[in-house]
Amino acid sequence: MPGLIRGVGRTAAVVGTAGAVHHHQSKKWAAKDQQAAQAQAYQDQQYAQQQQQYAPPPQQYAPPPPAAVEEDPTVAKINQLAELHSQGILSDEEFASAKAKALGI
């Protein structure tokens, strides 16, 4: 029986030592992983700052000027006659006559 107790004691010592070593290694690996993650975050931050520093500023574009609409000369003439008629410069007969002339009627 003393051999059995000695064997159990030896097994307990080996298991306890193995558990302690495993725990120590786990903590060591976790610290190493955390350090690597922090280093990566720092590098990412540096890269982002560098990109902002060297990136050209966003271009500011002026809105395009409104497109000039080509107006038909006949329509322009009739609009001019209508304006004169509404101001009372042309009478109804004069407006009708000038409009017919502009339209080629």
Side-chain angles (χ1 to χ4, degrees):
M1 188 103 161
L4 180 64
I5 293 177
R6 192 176 318 151
V8 171
R10 197 174 297 147
T11 302
V14 169
V15 169
T17 304
V21 169
H22 183 305
H23 178 72
H24 176 72
Q25 280 298 109
S26 294
K27 286 175 63 176
K28 188 175 177 181
W29 291 332
K32 197 173 192 179
D33 288 345
Q34 184 179 11
Q35 186 179 11
Q38 287 175 348
Q40 184 64 40
Y42 178 75
Q43 287 176 351
D44 291 347
Q45 182 183 15
Q46 292 299 316
Y47 179 76
Q49 287 176 354
Q50 196 175 41
Q51 290 295 10
Q52 286 177 347
Q53 181 180 2
Y54 295 115
Q59 290 186 341
Q60 300 292 326
Y61 295 107
V69 177
E70 285 290 324
E71 190 172 40
D72 184 13
T74 305
V75 174
K77 181 68 174 169
I78 293 175
N79 284 337
Q80 181 185 16
L81 292 171
E83 184 68 30
L84 292 172
H85 181 255
S86 67
Q87 292 174 357
I89 298 172
L90 293 177
S91 66
D92 290 340
E93 294 81 26
E94 292 171 326
F95 174 69
S97 169
K99 184 171 77 168
K101 183 178 176 184
L103 291 173
I105 300 175

